[in-house]
């Protein structure tokens, strides 16, 4: 890997301000999904190292919370600047371990930094309240305090942004945090820690450790010192973590699976809808939790949309994300490829019509042809399961009521998208969709200024925006008597 600053590529964990190996020296290999080549070995840690990181966070907490918000903001601001100054190296590290095209990695680094910048500022605006008192001799005061030691578990699809979206608000609010990144993409996390250290984040305030997900997760959940857990990943793992946090009644943020509907009404601007569908479906080769998973197209424009959409899909360029003009990197691992294959086979066996793609790409590894299937119906697996890959299934619908009912017929409720120019329909459908986020006439909705999160089994809490810091704060009511 060619980096301007090779010291950003670390092969150790960062605990209590020190770079360290696992207690017994165990390591695990990390591979480049585009080539299958090893990138290096990282520590395989467990419960004992996790406890050490949590204890270090607890020891660092009093001094960190005592700093003024402005002092914390100055450190965060410096971290943001260092991330942006090193964006190219961070993007190369990300593409090498995750596979997404370099342009997307650059975009994610900017997006990742934006959470640190945003929360550095937002931390200064954590205000309290004085409420009208029912007593003449007492005053009712509400303050907001940092929740305490936080723990975070993050996924591989956004190796940097899912970390800063949690660490930014935690640190800004005055909380220390211990992060376990996904075992497939640890190097982006370590690089962020290198820059946090350079920015002056005190020892223990931000630790990063890799290893046995179950052992680390179990310790984070069971340890009473940890007051809050923030998780981004699958609904299945979210359920386990929620159960494991029950004995210690932890505050929880869960950003879980999605099964986003993408609806094209007959009055839509079809070219805009095609652009939006490509952006929403094929970003990160379909591996984002807000990716369109089910495309519903109204009867009158179904064939016209399908034709334009397939033409656009055929223009996508599959290949190693480090090469120029590539828009589709490999899927993260073999398991992910198999799931896409299964969904395609199931859809075709039940009457789906293959319009383009449909199989592994000739480049091998995790590369897969961008695929579109028409005549998809509700009995197929793609209707209810998140594919998390480059497969676009096209469902046909007739009425608004029908499509809203279909869109909501899932246990998930993260994002939804639709295209229409009719203002009445826009409001009715936006209000009827049971999701935490709705994109109207756009396929891209993520920004640090807006609240990201889901309803139903897509999770709890919101990340980003002025609401996002709430997850790291607790309220205290002080009754001021003796006046
Ligand atoms: P994905 O399907 O996107 O890989 P996962 O939910 O499996 O989603 O993984 C997201 C994160 O959760 C990763 O960091 C992974 O290591 C972690 N993880 C997986 N299983 C567990 C578990 N039982 N306890 C704690 N963390 C887990």
């Amino acid at each position: 890997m060619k980096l301007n600053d090779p010291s950003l590529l670390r092969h150790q964990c960062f605990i209590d301000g020190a770079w360290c190996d696992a207690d017994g020296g165990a390591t695990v290999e990390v591979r480049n999904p585009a080539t299958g080549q090893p990138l290096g070995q990282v520590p395989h840690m467990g419960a004992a190292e996790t406890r050490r990181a949590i204890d270090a966070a607890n020891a660092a907490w009093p001094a960190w919370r005592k700093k003024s918000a402005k002092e914390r903001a100055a450190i965060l601001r410096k971290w943001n600047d260092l991330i942006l100054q090193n964006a190219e190296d961070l993007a190369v590290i990300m593409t090498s371990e995750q596979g997404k095209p370099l342009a997307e990695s650059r975009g994610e680094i900017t997006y990742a930094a934006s959470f640190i910048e945003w929360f550095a500022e937002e931390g200064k605006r954590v205000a309290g309240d004085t409420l009208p008192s029912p007593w003449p001799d007492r005053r009712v005061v509400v303050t907001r305090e940092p929740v305490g030691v936080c723990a975070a578990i993050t996924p591989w699809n956004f190796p940097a942004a899912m970390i800063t979206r949690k660490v930014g608000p935690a640190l800004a609010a005055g909380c220390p945090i211990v992060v376990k990144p996904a075992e497939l993409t640890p190097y982006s996390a370590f690089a962020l820690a290198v820059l946090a250290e350079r920015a002056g984040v005190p020892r223990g305030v931000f630790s990063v450790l890799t290893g046995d997900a179950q052992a680390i997760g179990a310790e984070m959940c069971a340890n009473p010192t940890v007051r809050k857990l923030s998780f981004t990943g699958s609904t299945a793992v979210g359920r386990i973590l929620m159960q494991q946090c029950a004995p210690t009644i932890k505050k929880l943020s869960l950003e879980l699976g999605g099964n986003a509907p993408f609806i094209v009404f007959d009055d839509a601007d079809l070219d805009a809808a095609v652009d939006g569908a490509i952006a929403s479906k094929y970003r990160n080769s379909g591996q984002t939790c807000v990716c369109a998973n089910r495309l519903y197209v109204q009867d009158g424009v179904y064939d016209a949309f399908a034709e334009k959409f397939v033409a656009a899909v055929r223009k996508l360029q599959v290949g190693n994300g480090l090469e120029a003009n590539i828009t589709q990197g490999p899927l993260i691992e073999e398991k992910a490829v198999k799931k896409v294959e299964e969904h395609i086979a199931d859809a075709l066996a039940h009457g789906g019509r293959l319009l383009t793609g449909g199989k592994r790409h000739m480049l091998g590894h995790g590369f897969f042809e961008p695929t579109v299937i028409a005549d998809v119906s509700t009995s197929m697996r793609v209707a209810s399961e998140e594919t998390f890959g480059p497969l676009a299934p096209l469902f046909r619908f007739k009425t608004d009521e029908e499509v809203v009912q279909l869109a909501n017929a899932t246990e998930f409720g993260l994002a939804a998208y639709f295209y229409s120019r009719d203002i009445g329909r826009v409001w009715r459908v936006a209000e009827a969709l049971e999701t935490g986020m709705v994109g109207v006439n756009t396929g891209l909705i993520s920004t640090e200024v807006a609240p990201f999160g889901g309803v139903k089994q897509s999770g709890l809490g919101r990340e980003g925006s002025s609401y996002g810091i709430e997850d790291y704060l607790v309220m205290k009511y002080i009754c001021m008597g003796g006046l």
Side-chain angles (χ1 to χ4, degrees):
M1 200 185 301
K2 267 218 197 93
L3 301 176
N4 296 316
D5 178 356
S7 67
L8 289 174
L9 187 67
R10 299 299 297 237
H11 301 272
Q12 287 181 302
C13 296
F14 187 64
I15 297 177
D16 196 13
W19 292 93
C20 48
D21 297 320
D23 286 350
T27 59
V28 62
E29 192 168 73
V30 184
R31 284 174 182 270
N32 181 334
T35 62
Q37 293 302 309
L39 293 171
Q41 305 272 340
V42 299
H44 191 64
M45 293 186 164
E49 297 91 334
T50 309
R51 263 195 301 279
R52 259 210 317 283
I54 292 168
D55 290 344
N58 201 36
W61 187 29
W64 184 247
R65 78 179 291 186
K66 219 183 262 162
K67 280 190 192 298
S68 70
K70 193 177 167 81
E71 286 171 319
R72 288 194 295 265
I75 294 172
L76 288 171
R77 184 77 211 191
K78 194 148 174 221
W79 190 21
N80 164 74
D81 294 347
L82 287 171
I83 293 172
L84 294 177
Q85 283 159 21
N86 290 279
E88 197 56 29
D89 279 350
L90 295 173
V92 169
I93 292 173
M94 186 182 295
T95 293
S96 301
E97 66 179 354
Q98 203 277 340
K100 66 176 68 178
L102 205 49
E104 286 191 31
S105 291
R106 289 185 186 117
E108 184 184 336
I109 294 303
T110 309
Y111 181 52
S114 75
F115 286 105
I116 300 180
E117 181 196 48
W118 172 268
F119 284 109
E121 292 157 0
E122 208 57 30
K124 299 177 196 168
R125 296 184 244 292
V126 174
D129 245 334
T130 309
L131 303 178
S133 172
W135 307 290
D137 60 343
R138 279 178 273 172
R139 297 292 175 268
V140 176
V141 178
V142 180
T143 62
R144 281 146 93 223
E145 302 180 343
V147 61
V149 174
C150 299
I153 299 176
T154 58
W156 49 264
N157 60 344
F158 288 93
M162 296 305 101
I163 292 176
T164 56
R165 198 153 81 170
K166 302 177 192 307
V167 177
L171 265 49
C175 304
I177 186 164
V178 178
V179 176
K180 189 206 86 62
E183 49 276 27
L184 298 167
T185 57
Y187 289 116
S188 296
F190 293 155
L192 287 174
V194 170
L195 297 175
E197 188 183 17
R198 280 184 204 163
V201 174
R203 61 182 278 196
V205 169
F206 172 40
S207 292
V208 178
L209 70 158
T210 51
D212 180 340
Q214 288 187 15
I216 295 171
E219 180 62 33
M220 286 174 161
C221 294
N223 194 312
T225 302
V226 176
R227 305 276 175 82
K228 186 216 160 66
L229 179 80
S230 179
F231 170 72
T232 298
S234 62
T235 296
V237 172
R239 283 192 195 103
I240 295 172
L241 297 175
M242 197 169 183
Q243 270 175 343
Q244 290 181 345
C245 284
T248 50
I249 316 284
K250 276 194 214 330
K251 200 171 157 91
L252 269 175
S253 297
L254 300 173
E255 205 268 276
L256 309 175
N259 180 1
F262 186 105
I263 306 166
V264 183
F265 286 102
D266 53 12
D267 65 319
D269 174 337
L270 281 196
D271 293 318
V274 166
D275 289 348
I278 294 283
S280 168
K281 175 68 249 182
Y282 293 101
R283 191 160 63 109
N284 204 358
S285 296
Q287 304 173 108
T288 91
C289 51
V290 291
C291 272
N293 198 56
R294 301 168 286 154
L295 282 78
Y296 294 100
V297 187
Q298 202 156 13
D299 204 22
V301 294
Y302 190 92
D303 294 332
F305 176 84
E307 191 180 318
K308 283 174 186 272
F309 183 59
V310 166
V313 170
R314 289 197 174 129
K315 291 201 187 113
L316 295 171
Q317 293 291 327
V318 179
N320 186 327
L322 289 174
E323 290 165 15
N325 303 321
I326 295 301
T327 61
Q328 299 285 286
L331 299 187
I332 189 73
E333 57 184 345
E334 177 59 22
K335 204 169 62 178
V337 177
K338 286 220 169 88
K339 188 169 188 192
V340 179
E341 280 184 328
E342 282 169 26
H343 279 194
I344 292 173
D346 171 78
L348 297 182
H350 290 87
R353 190 161 44 95
L354 187 66
L355 297 186
T356 189
K359 58 183 192 305
R360 289 171 192 252
H361 195 274
M362 59 190 177
L363 286 171
H365 301 294
F367 293 104
F368 206 91
E369 294 175 351
T371 300
V372 183
I373 298 182
D375 300 342
V376 176
S377 64
T378 51
S379 62
M380 302 175 190
R381 282 179 64 186
V382 285
S384 54
E385 289 177 37
E386 196 177 16
T387 305
F388 232 63
L391 161 62
L394 304 184
F395 298 76
R396 193 187 289 265
F397 74 93
K398 290 212 163 67
T399 68
D400 293 25
E401 292 71 23
E402 177 194 2
V403 78
V404 166
Q405 192 266 329
L406 287 168
N408 289 340
T410 162
E411 78 240 35
F412 299 108
L414 194 58
Y417 310 85
F418 69 92
Y419 278 69
S420 167
R421 308 300 307 174
D422 176 323
I423 191 73
R425 173 184 263 166
V426 164
W427 274 108
R428 281 193 306 275
V429 174
E431 289 179 355
L433 289 169
E434 295 174 346
T435 59
M437 299 174 282
V438 180
V440 182
N441 295 319
T442 177
L444 294 175
I445 53 177
S446 298
T447 161
E448 79 278 13
V449 313
F452 190 104
V455 297
K456 294 160 81 178
Q457 292 176 42
S458 286
L460 302 170
R462 290 294 180 270
E463 297 193 309
S465 82
S466 53
Y467 305 103
I469 203 161
E470 295 296 335
D471 283 14
Y472 296 86
L473 296 168
V474 283
M475 211 179 265
K476 182 179 276 174
Y477 156 43
I478 304 173
C479 187
M480 297 287 293
L483 265 61

